[in-house]
Amino acid sequence: MSETKNPFAGDADRAFIWEMLMPRDFEAFAAQDWSMVAGDFDEMRFLGIHAHNSPNQDDWNAAFPTLQAYRDEWLRQAAESASVAYAEPLPSALLKAVTLDRIDINGNVAVAHKKFDGTVPLADGGVDRLNWQTLYFCRNDGDRWRITGFVGYMKYR
């Protein structure tokens, strides 16, 4: 794994959310193993909005009305990514290309601002350019933080 450290090490709530949305997500994605992240979601409250990289909110839609719909797309993308030859382990490369340095918490709800803004080096010398952002909505159910939904694939820069 990359040398990237959790920027919220002194804040238990934000540190937990960061670990959930960054290294754990990237490890599971690279392994194509949904079971590694399944417990991070609040299935009953979940809703995923796809922004289609458009600044016009009229183009956005509820593409993931259920956690199962999102899981299927996540697994599809993970399998597609697994067919790519990267120059370094994908989780480490993603930790370098993605930032999550703002997590707003109000009571038992949080909004995490995850920005995919960098490149992942390919084995052939090229790069895979990441350029979108996602707002994750989380809720602390008294036991732990869980993802209740997101607005994802939003235009960034």
Side-chain angles (χ1 to χ4, degrees):
M1 187 62 75
S2 165
E3 17 339 293
T4 302
K5 301 287 185 226
N6 188 327
F8 302 105
D11 180 326
D13 289 323
R14 285 176 178 84
F16 183 92
I17 292 168
W18 190 90
E19 291 291 334
M20 176 174 67
L21 292 173
M22 294 289 282
R24 185 161 56 242
D25 181 41
F26 299 154
E27 289 284 345
F29 187 80
Q32 302 178 69
D33 186 353
W34 178 259
S35 70
M36 293 172 66
V37 294
D40 292 337
F41 293 89
D42 182 334
E43 185 171 358
M44 296 306 295
R45 289 186 174 111
F46 185 82
L47 171 63
I49 304 296
H50 196 313
H52 301 281
N53 204 33
S54 174
N56 182 352
Q57 293 86 358
D58 288 342
D59 295 335
W60 302 4
N61 67 336
F64 311 109
T66 65
L67 185 57
Q68 293 77 18
Y70 177 61
R71 178 204 61 213
D72 293 348
E73 176 60 12
W74 187 94
L75 287 168
R76 185 198 68 74
Q77 289 179 21
E80 185 178 287
S81 181
S83 71
V84 176
Y86 295 104
E88 65 182 277
L90 185 58
S92 297
L94 288 171
L95 277 173
K96 294 173 190 171
V98 179
T99 59
L100 174 53
D101 55 12
R102 179 176 170 192
I103 301 173
D104 303 318
I105 297 178
N106 188 352
N108 68 340
V109 296
V111 178
H113 303 249
K114 190 172 179 181
K115 295 178 175 65
F116 298 77
D117 184 28
T119 58
V120 175
L122 302 173
D124 67 5
V127 296
D128 186 3
R129 175 78 172 112
L130 309 181
N131 185 17
W132 71 91
Q133 61 186 326
T134 298
L135 294 177
Y136 288 93
F137 309 114
C138 304
R139 180 175 295 273
N140 189 321
D141 62 10
D143 178 38
R144 58 165 288 189
W145 289 95
R146 295 184 197 284
I147 303 163
T148 59
F150 65 84
V151 178
Y153 313 103
M154 291 188 297
K155 187 167 182 59
Y156 187 67
R157 296 189 205 246

